[in-house]
């Protein structure tokens, strides 16, 4: 059975096709993505209206390319991200998906974007057991407890302000390094020393004991980098951009992995899944590997192409749900910008 997934919650227009066999194993048959990232560059972050228009323009070509790649005329089911994400962007993808499903006479499944990020861990031939997922991108920063792919997840922690990738993009902008910030800061950090002690948000003893044990805050870190640069300028000192990048990166990787390790310890989960665009970060990967090894936890990082937003992840979560006998959502299914992680699939109305 062939399941097609459409992703459009942020700035990537993705169409992926997976083939599901009777045992629940999935093979990737097509993976096409168009990104509007460059159109947002001069604004330093994703502009929702530009993203929506870009999805609308890219959708027919990306769909055509995916069908050609899989060598098929139509799939057996169509799925789309119906939340969480940007309102206009979600509407374009979900409306397109429903139109294709209606035209082809196949069922439509409206799925949760975050469930998709977790579902890619099942594409490597291994089932994902009870685990902690650390999802970090320009749009999300979450610690989720996962029982299995396609099952409701529990959000243990999230950011109270900026997403981790957003913090990279904002710091990059204030250092004059352009957008997106992650790759350039990662590169410069490798040439510097993490010798500036920037703050780790929500990491005081009382935070770790209280309701924000697994939550993040990156706005103080961003402000701290800005103050450091301003102070040096005022005093006429030359700063090392490489050292600032390395120190900022250390603070981000430290707090992300520290809190994920707490969640692993507290839940007893033995697998950590790392996903989202920031999963490309070299320091985050090495620190996660080091801390997981020390705690006897298996670290799973899907191939980078599947860590960032794509259509395959949406097809994968829908295929898993179909394998378990889930009902289609139906064409009356709406979008929800704040869809909760407890909802892997939006159920039929009525
Ligand atoms: O998942 P993604 O492609 O798009 C969404 O935000 O949904 O993630 C993009 C984010 C950007 O904020 C970018 O700066 C960050 O991922 N990123 C990185 C790295 N590569 C991309 N952050 C840190 N280190 C990297 N190497
Ligand atoms: Zn995402």
């Amino acid at each position: 059975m062939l399941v097609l997934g459409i992703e459009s919650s942020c700035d990537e227009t993705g169409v992926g096709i997976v083939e599901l066999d009777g045992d629940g194993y999935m093979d990737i048959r097509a993976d096409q993505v168009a990104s509007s990232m460059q159109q947002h560059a001069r604004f330093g972050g994703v502009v929702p209206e530009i993203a929506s228009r870009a999805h609308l323009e890219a959708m027919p070509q990306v769909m055509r390319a995916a069908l050609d790649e899989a060598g098929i005329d139509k799939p057996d089911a169509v799925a789309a991200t119906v939340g969480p994400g940007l309102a206009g962007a979600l509407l374009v993808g979900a409306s397109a998906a429903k139109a294709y499903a209606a035209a082809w006479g196949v069922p439509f499944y409206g799925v949760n974007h975050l469930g998709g990020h977790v579902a890619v861990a099942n594409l490597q031939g291994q089932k994902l057991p009870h685990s902690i997922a650390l999802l970090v991108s320009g749009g999300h920063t979450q610690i989720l407890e996962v029982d299995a792919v396609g099952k409701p997840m529990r959000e243990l922690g999230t950011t109270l302000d900026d997403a981790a990738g957003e913090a990279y993009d904002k710091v990059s902008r204030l250092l004059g390094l352009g957008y997106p910030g992650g790759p350039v800061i990662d590169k410069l950090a490798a040439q510097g020393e993490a010798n500036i002690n920037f703050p780790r948000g929500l990491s005081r003893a009382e935070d770790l004991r209280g309701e924000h044990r697994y939550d993040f805050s990156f706005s103080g870190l961003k402000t701290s980098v800005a103050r450091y640069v301003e102070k040096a300028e005022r005093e006429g000192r030359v700063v090392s951009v490489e050292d600032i990048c390395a120190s900022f990166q250390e603070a981000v990787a430290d707090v992300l992995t520290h809190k994920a390790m707490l969640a692993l310890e507290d839940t007893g989960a033995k697998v950590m899944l790392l996903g989202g665009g920031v999963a490309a970060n070299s320091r985050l990967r090495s620190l996660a590997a080091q801390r997981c090894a020390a705690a006897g936890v298996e670290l799973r990082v899907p191939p980078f192409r599947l860590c960032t937003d794509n259509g395959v992840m949406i097809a994968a979560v829908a295929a898993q749900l179909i394998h378990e006998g889930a009902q289609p959502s139906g064409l009356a299914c709406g979008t929800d910008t704040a869809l909760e992680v407890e909802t892997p699939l939006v159920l039929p109305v009525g």
Side-chain angles (χ1 to χ4, degrees):
M1 147 154 219
L2 293 162
V3 182
L4 181 146
I6 295 184
E7 158 59 28
S8 73
S9 66
C10 190
D11 58 346
E12 267 93 32
T13 314
V15 178
I17 300 172
V18 303
E19 184 162 6
L20 173 72
D21 74 12
D23 298 323
Y25 282 99
M26 294 175 244
D27 255 346
I28 301 177
R29 291 285 303 271
D31 176 12
Q32 296 290 330
V33 177
S35 176
S36 60
M37 187 186 282
Q38 286 320 317
Q39 297 181 50
H40 307 287
R42 69 192 171 100
F43 303 101
V46 176
V47 182
E49 188 54 29
I50 294 177
S52 305
R53 281 166 187 266
H55 286 306
L56 201 54
E57 284 163 14
M59 191 62 72
Q61 288 99 298
V62 178
M63 176 59 76
R64 185 71 261 156
L67 294 170
D68 288 348
E69 186 185 349
I72 59 169
D73 293 328
K74 64 172 201 162
D76 302 301
V78 174
T81 299
V82 291
L86 302 171
L90 287 172
L91 277 173
V92 175
S95 305
K98 287 189 237 174
Y100 282 113
W104 286 327
V106 300
F108 169 75
Y109 295 82
V111 303
N112 191 310
H113 177 82
L114 298 170
H117 274 301
V118 170
V120 293
N122 262 14
L123 286 165
Q124 292 154 307
Q126 289 165 294
K127 293 270 175 221
L128 189 72
H130 178 219
S131 52
I132 291 296
L134 175 61
L135 301 182
V136 276
S137 74
H140 27 82
T141 308
Q142 260 125 347
I143 295 183
L144 303 174
E145 186 179 6
V146 181
D147 290 329
V149 170
K151 294 278 181 272
M153 302 183 288
R154 282 172 295 282
E155 183 179 274
L156 302 183
T158 187
T159 179
L160 303 188
D161 38 61
D162 295 339
E166 204 179 349
Y168 265 93
D169 297 334
K170 288 182 174 171
V171 165
S172 178
R173 193 172 170 184
L174 77 89
L175 294 175
L177 300 174
Y179 174 84
V184 56
I185 290 181
D186 199 357
K187 190 160 157 257
L188 290 172
Q191 298 154 28
E193 290 282 333
N195 51 14
I196 310 158
N197 191 22
F198 288 131
R200 275 70 167 154
L202 299 175
S203 294
R204 295 168 308 173
E206 58 262 45
D207 296 321
L208 297 178
R209 272 198 306 271
E211 58 169 332
H212 295 308
R213 181 171 175 79
Y214 309 113
D215 289 331
F216 303 101
S217 167
F218 293 107
S219 72
L221 170 59
K222 176 190 64 193
T223 308
S224 184
V225 174
R227 295 282 169 277
Y228 181 88
V229 174
E230 283 162 19
K231 184 160 182 281
E233 275 172 0
R234 251 196 336 270
E235 294 170 358
R237 276 187 292 122
V238 180
V239 296
S240 156
V241 175
E242 290 83 358
D243 289 354
I244 295 174
C245 289
S247 307
F248 163 75
Q249 175 146 301
E250 191 61 27
V252 174
D254 182 29
V255 74
L256 287 174
T257 51
H258 180 216
K259 295 206 170 203
M261 295 318 295
L262 289 179
L264 284 152
E265 241 170 76
D266 296 350
T267 58
K270 289 285 170 224
V271 173
M272 173 166 149
L273 173 68
L274 188 58
V278 183
N281 187 259
S282 58
R283 184 58 185 149
L284 177 60
R285 281 169 175 255
S286 68
L287 201 53
Q290 190 185 319
R291 290 181 171 173
C292 283
V297 166
E298 181 196 342
L299 175 65
R300 289 199 198 171
V301 192
F304 183 61
R305 199 177 157 76
L306 295 178
C307 282
T308 56
D309 292 349
N310 62 82
V312 170
M313 68 190 219
I314 302 308
V317 71
Q320 180 72 32
L321 288 157
I322 291 168
H323 179 67
E324 288 163 12
Q327 289 300 303
S329 304
L331 299 182
C333 167
T335 54
D336 180 353
T337 58
L339 187 65
E340 303 278 347
V341 292
E342 288 81 9
T343 308
L345 171 74
V346 175
L347 294 171
V349 180

